[in-house]
Amino acid sequence: MADAPLDYVSDHLDAFDADLSDFLRIPSISADPAYAADVRRAADWLADHLSQIGFPTVEVRETGGHPVVFAEDRSAGADKPTVLVYGHYDVQPPDPLDLWTSPPFEPVVRDGQLYARGSADDKGQVMMHVKAAEAFYKTGTPLPVNLKLIIEGEEEVGSHHLAPYVDAHQGELACDVIVISDTAMFDQGIPSITVGLRGLAYVQVNLTGPDRDLHSGVYGGGVENPANALAKLIADLHDADHRVTVEGFYDGVVPLKADERAAWAELPFDEAKWLGEIGLTVGKTEKGYTILEATTARPTLDVNGMGSGYQGEGSKTVLPSKAFAKISCRLVPGQDPKDIAQKLRRHFETHLPDTMTMDFVELHGGQPVLMDTDQPAMTAAMDALRETYGRDAYFMREGGSIPVVADLKRILGVDALLLGFGLTADAIHSPDEHFGLDRYHEGIATVVRFWGNYGA
Ligand code: BES
Ligand code: ZN
């Protein structure tokens, strides 16, 4: 039934690549207020593009933060299911720029990979759904499902305005399934559906000792150094088994089931290859867990950034007044971001030396999620992946977070389907982010097939 759209896809791959490159040229960096106009430009570009390809309803909507792009087509009719596509058009800051082989907002293809910030996370994956719709419109093929798109501009900064927006637009966003392509597949040529994402609790600890930076010879030995104190506090956050020492951190964590662990052990996950891709030969996991388990299904605590004292060239004999650390915890089912942030606060308050003061800031959080593997959309997606790749897809969990998924599921009362085509090696959030054009094209064809299967 979807022959004409699939033929259209194979005949228009070069044009699809060019359109994605246009989208990628817009530096929609949500974290940096200096780029706010570019973030809006990306929303406008996407809305124009959706109108051009044939979406009957397209709007750029205000949220109080960066806008969302909303589009819908209900022409399939009330007897057909409705798919809500969620994605994001904002990107992470590209720094450090000198580590990019080519500039982050000048997309280029090398070895079949499209290099640009946002190529895999998430503009390339959003465009798979856009191009699938184009294939139906341009061939005059009726859409097999009703479609709604909500593409936001704040995912990379915590999606603060999206849950209230979805809450206020529940009726308009009503659907049978939420489909998201903002995750990875198991490996090149090995399809998978992501059935779990970790949550997040992100905090910042600011320590202040003396009221100004001091001469380390004149004062050293007489006062406690905030950098030394913070280093000790951080070092004590893990024990010898690499378990987090914060009191109550593991309370309620749902233990991994023996059959889940057995199924994951069967996956063709190569620890040496995974380590090699990031320049390592040895990993570090919580005792008793494999790298795959520890990175997808166990909670973690990591310093994401820290600073104190002299950072310039050469040496400066200074005893710093302040030290800070940004700390994120990835959370699993049974943990709650607010509760974990409170436990971290209590931990730091308890262990803070009486020689300094602390300002503890809760930056953002998101709930962990698990998806139901029995829903009809899963079956339709498994079939579509089999048609594209000629093999069965795996169910897997992933370690990243998409904070709004739990809110979308809760507010709209339906499950989510995470149909991702990234790879761990795509360097998302890193220099030289890239997306394989083969995966972009396979993703478009898979979405076409998924809609056909789900609407049949
Ligand atoms: N696409 C990622 C989430 C992701 C990455 C899922 C890898 C699965 C595997 C998303 O854009 C992202 O980076 N999310 C942030 C959320 C944070 C900024 C609140 C994350 O996970 O750090
Ligand atoms: Zn991201």
Side-chain angles (χ1 to χ4, degrees):
M1 155 268 94
D3 282 354
L6 284 174
D7 289 344
Y8 180 90
V9 171
S10 6
D11 290 345
H12 291 80
L13 298 177
D14 289 346
F16 291 173
D17 300 353
D19 289 340
L20 173 54
S21 292
D22 285 346
F23 196 16
L24 289 168
R25 274 187 203 99
I26 307 171
S28 45
I29 306 165
S30 51
D32 186 345
Y35 288 84
D38 290 305
V39 175
R40 186 165 292 270
R41 199 151 60 83
D44 291 339
W45 184 94
L46 181 60
D48 285 348
H49 196 73
L50 288 165
S51 300
Q52 267 172 38
I53 65 168
F55 259 93
T57 306
V58 182
E59 281 175 44
V60 176
R61 298 263 184 82
E62 299 309 318
T63 63
H66 297 306
V68 302
V69 178
F70 174 76
E72 77 173 327
D73 184 336
R74 301 204 211 174
S75 59
D79 59 329
K80 293 290 182 186
T82 299
V83 171
L84 175 69
V85 178
Y86 162 80
H88 62 97
Y89 66 80
D90 64 322
V91 302
Q92 288 272 329
D95 320 69
L97 285 174
D98 53 323
L99 293 185
W100 284 76
T101 308
S102 50
F105 298 106
E106 294 174 26
V108 285
V109 180
R110 291 193 294 275
D111 291 334
Q113 308 288 314
L114 181 58
Y115 284 82
R117 171 58 87 230
S119 53
D121 183 10
D122 182 34
K123 286 173 175 169
Q125 301 214 57
V126 164
M127 284 292 274
M128 297 180 324
H129 297 265
V130 176
K131 294 293 143 188
E134 177 181 324
F136 282 90
Y137 287 132
K138 298 290 182 192
T139 55
T141 312
L143 278 173
V145 293
N146 299 296
L147 281 181
K148 299 180 182 182
L149 267 67
I150 178 157
I151 311 298
E152 70 153 321
E154 300 189 322
E155 195 274 344
E156 297 292 8
V157 287
S159 300
H160 290 294
H161 296 91
L162 198 67
Y165 178 91
V166 173
D167 214 22
H169 295 79
Q170 280 179 50
E172 183 180 70
L173 296 171
C175 60
D176 296 290
V177 67
I178 306 152
V179 176
I180 303 171
S181 296
D182 191 22
T183 51
M185 52 197 288
F186 190 81
D187 205 345
Q188 185 73 37
I190 307 184
S192 56
I193 293 178
T194 299
V195 294
L197 288 173
R198 289 195 286 191
L200 187 68
Y202 203 129
V203 304
Q204 176 158 343
V205 180
N206 301 307
L207 297 189
T208 305
D211 65 3
R212 64 203 140 95
D213 288 2
L214 304 171
H215 189 294
S216 64
V218 176
Y219 290 94
V223 298
E224 181 150 33
N225 179 328
N228 297 10
L230 186 60
K232 164 99 176 89
L233 284 168
I234 287 170
D236 288 345
L237 285 168
H238 289 92
D239 67 13
D241 292 336
H242 206 58
R243 281 175 64 87
V244 177
T245 55
V246 173
E247 200 179 322
F249 185 79
Y250 294 96
D251 288 359
V253 166
V254 180
L256 301 183
K257 295 195 208 80
D259 60 338
E260 280 176 313
R261 301 187 75 180
W264 296 337
E266 292 301 310
L267 297 175
F269 183 78
D270 182 341
E271 291 199 349
K273 173 172 174 268
W274 186 90
L275 288 165
E277 281 171 0
I278 47 173
L280 293 175
T281 51
V282 275
K284 176 89 179 170
T285 63
E286 180 187 352
K287 191 176 177 193
Y289 294 95
T290 65
I291 288 181
L292 186 63
E293 290 169 339
T295 55
T296 63
R298 291 293 298 168
T300 62
L301 181 153
D302 277 293
V303 173
N304 290 186
M306 56 196 292
S308 182
Y310 181 60
Q311 310 274 321
E313 288 296 313
S315 63
K316 178 186 180 194
T317 50
V318 68
L319 196 161
S321 158
K322 292 177 185 299
F324 73 86
K326 295 175 186 284
I327 299 174
S328 76
C329 295
R330 296 288 168 169
L331 311 179
V332 299
Q335 288 177 304
D336 175 77
K338 286 217 163 54
D339 176 59
I340 292 293
Q342 282 305 315
K343 285 173 171 156
L344 284 168
R345 180 189 290 275
R346 221 167 298 134
H347 178 96
F348 279 94
E349 281 170 358
T350 309
H351 294 90
L352 182 72
D354 61 6
T355 48
M356 58 195 63
T357 57
M358 178 180 68
D359 172 34
F360 185 95
V361 189
E362 294 173 27
L363 290 173
H364 57 68
Q367 299 281 351
V369 278
L370 288 181
M371 265 56 67
D372 179 6
T373 52
D374 275 338
Q375 39 161 334
M378 278 287 174
T379 315
M382 287 296 268
D383 292 344
L385 286 167
R386 194 180 307 106
E387 290 158 38
T388 299
Y389 289 96
R391 57 183 292 169
D392 281 336
Y394 294 120
F395 289 126
M396 65 171 193
R397 291 202 209 176
E398 284 193 87
S401 310
I402 308 177
V404 83
V405 176
D407 297 316
L408 288 170
K409 279 171 58 130
R410 175 180 50 81
I411 300 169
L412 300 176
V414 297
D415 211 344
L417 167 71
L418 303 185
L419 191 58
F421 293 85
L423 286 181
T424 311
D426 284 346
I428 63 172
H429 297 204
S430 299
D432 281 351
E433 176 177 351
H434 56 278
F435 190 34
L437 289 173
D438 50 357
R439 287 177 282 128
Y440 176 47
H441 303 156
E442 289 155 8
I444 299 166
T446 304
V447 172
V448 168
R449 293 180 170 122
F450 165 67
W451 291 344
N453 295 343
Y454 190 44

